[in-house]
Amino acid sequence: MTRLHGAVIVIAALALGVDLTEIALSGALATIFAAPPHAMSPTVIGWLSASTYLGAIVGAPLSGLAARRWGYTRVLAGSLVLISLTSVLCAISPDVTWLALARGLSGLALGALPPLIIAWLTELAPNGRRGAMITVTSALAYLGPPAALFWLRAASHDFHQSWEAWRVLFAVLGLASLALAPLLLWAPESADWLRGAGRGDRAMAQAERFSRSPVLAPPSPEARVIHSSRPAPGTREALVGLAILYFLLPWSSVGFPLLTGPVLLARGMNLNDSLYFVALAGFGPAIGGLLASFGVDRAPRATSLAILALAMLLFVAMFFGVSSRLAAGLAVVGFGVSGALYLPVVTLFGAELFAPRHRASATTLAWSINRLAAAVAPLLLLPLVKGGANWTVGGAILLSLGCTLGMLLVWRPGGAHQARKAEACVS
């Protein structure tokens, strides 16, 4: 692990932080527009929340194909430029219709950033430190959403009429995205992609670039390697299994945070206190991610994912099953921590299923299924919450987590024989 790896972590964390903050704004906008003076219908709020994910359904596979042809860094830089333009459009939107259209255009770029960033880091990370590098990146990125939501809560008293606080936040995110694009072009490209594109000279030059960089941490002392970046025997089997895991994720990861604000409002909290709870829950993932980085490479990915899915299931049951505000707050924070850890681990798990030449296109194609579910979830769940059917919503979220847990316990890509063979190769 070198200083150049450290620079990559910072750049990737900032880019991922912009993505996560933009996505978190969907939940914040749902809370803002559900309260007076807007008090919009659940259908309108649902479409506004879903618009970003609808754009991502198209944008994710296209970005993956583009990265396969032109490389990770150029596609990531281009995505940030598009996010910059669409964020400014959000800031100046005259009404909800234009805001939803601008959010849909944002989704074209936002849809592919998480899997592309994880796939890029998977190919840059040193052996034995891949999980740690990615969880640290994610932990730093997770500081963005709560910081933005806390600022949004504090500034909501100062901005009113036509220029509201959320508009300023979109403008700031647009400027940040534009400033990050040149850093992505400076960052190292995947050596696997360079070799696959017939640019072996650049791959060698990049290897020298890493070798010249001062060392931050020595090679991993782990003697037993329990993961492999080698693909499962059937790429189609791995793609279908990963797509199912990705499809199940938004019913909890998008559905629960999206519903947290409206449910707390229904329990008698005012708008500012509801935003406070939503924002407070976001700081736990950053701390949890940093702590998890010390052990993420010591356990099988599927085992880690199963434990996190079980934790999310228990916290959702706690949130919908108790009426205490303190218990609800603890459940929100606990779900935020476990869910935030689940996302980087499952995307890393998916990236490790495929060979480098298929990694970008396969993972983003599977991620488009995730964005499809993320678009449908608010459209179906928000009207139920507005109608008071909280346990119906809780049951749907619990069902998705139960299916996820069951799949993680029984699905083993490539089978035990292939897993032992891959482990022996790496060792």
Side-chain angles (χ1 to χ4, degrees):
M1 183 76 75
T2 68
R3 286 186 184 176
L4 185 55
H5 286 108
V8 168
I9 288 175
V10 173
I11 294 171
L14 290 171
L16 186 59
V18 168
D19 180 279
L20 295 175
T21 303
E22 289 263 359
I23 296 299
L25 276 176
S26 296
L29 290 174
T31 303
I32 291 169
F33 285 102
H38 303 286
M40 293 185 176
S41 69
T43 302
V44 173
I45 295 173
W47 279 109
L48 176 61
S49 301
S51 57
T52 305
Y53 304 111
L54 291 172
I57 295 171
V58 178
L62 290 180
S63 297
L65 293 173
R68 185 174 179 177
R69 172 152 188 184
W70 292 301
Y72 289 99
T73 55
R74 281 190 284 184
V75 172
L76 288 171
S79 298
L80 287 169
V81 172
L82 179 57
I83 291 171
S84 175
L85 295 174
T86 54
S87 294
V88 173
L89 289 178
C90 289
I92 62 175
S93 296
D95 53 42
V96 174
T97 301
W98 283 101
L99 178 60
L101 289 173
R103 294 289 284 164
L105 293 174
S106 293
L108 293 173
L110 293 170
L113 273 184
L116 275 185
I117 288 174
I118 299 301
W120 178 51
L121 294 178
T122 298
E123 300 186 15
L124 292 182
N127 290 334
R129 298 192 183 275
R130 180 178 294 160
M133 185 169 172
I134 288 173
T135 51
V136 168
T137 300
S138 301
L140 295 175
Y142 278 124
L143 292 172
L149 292 176
F150 269 118
W151 181 87
L152 187 63
R153 177 181 181 270
S156 60
H157 300 289
D158 301 324
F159 296 94
H160 44 77
Q161 296 181 354
S162 61
W163 190 252
E164 298 175 90
W166 58 268
R167 297 179 183 272
V168 177
L169 187 53
F170 272 121
V172 171
L173 288 171
L175 293 175
S177 300
L178 189 61
L180 282 172
L183 295 179
L184 262 300
L185 295 176
W186 169 86
E189 181 58 84
S190 162
D192 287 321
W193 181 84
L194 289 171
R195 285 191 292 267
R199 302 178 184 177
D201 54 339
R202 280 194 59 194
M204 288 295 294
Q206 184 167 284
E208 294 176 1
R209 186 180 177 188
F210 275 105
S211 67
R212 291 194 304 267
S213 181
V215 174
L216 286 178
S220 173
E222 292 298 311
R224 187 171 67 91
V225 180
I226 57 177
H227 313 298
S228 171
S229 60
R230 295 177 180 274
T235 301
R236 183 178 300 176
E237 173 197 346
L239 180 60
V240 171
L242 183 62
I244 293 173
L245 282 179
Y246 281 173
F247 178 81
L248 292 170
L249 177 58
W251 298 96
S252 56
S253 68
V254 172
F256 184 72
L258 188 66
L259 301 172
T260 298
V263 168
L264 292 177
L265 287 173
R267 292 182 180 181
M269 293 187 183
N270 59 40
L271 174 60
N272 282 336
D273 288 340
S274 297
L275 287 175
Y276 177 79
F277 266 88
V278 173
L280 185 62
F283 282 113
I287 300 172
L290 292 174
L291 294 176
S293 66
F294 293 99
V296 67
D297 288 310
R298 299 171 184 259
R301 309 287 188 223
T303 301
S304 300
L305 291 173
I307 293 172
L308 293 170
L310 177 61
M312 286 190 286
L313 190 151
L314 294 176
F315 284 123
V316 171
M318 178 179 173
F319 179 80
F320 284 100
V322 299
S323 57
S324 166
R325 292 186 182 184
L326 177 61
L330 292 175
V332 170
V333 174
F335 180 90
V337 173
S338 51
L341 292 176
Y342 183 92
L343 179 60
V345 177
V346 75
T347 47
L348 172 58
F349 173 72
E352 290 177 332
L353 291 177
F354 304 99
R357 66 181 182 277
H358 298 302
R359 186 168 285 146
S361 55
T363 54
T364 51
L365 179 59
W367 191 252
S368 68
I369 305 300
N370 171 277
R371 300 295 85 180
L372 172 63
V376 173
L379 294 175
L380 296 181
L381 299 181
L382 268 175
L384 293 175
V385 172
K386 191 72 173 180
N390 292 346
W391 262 110
T392 302
V393 176
I397 296 174
L398 290 170
L399 178 62
S400 71
L401 289 170
C403 292
T404 299
L405 182 59
M407 185 171 179
L408 289 168
L409 292 176
V410 300
W411 181 51
R412 291 293 181 269
H417 172 72
Q418 178 69 16
R420 287 193 298 269
K421 183 178 178 182
E423 181 178 334
C425 281
V426 177
S427 299

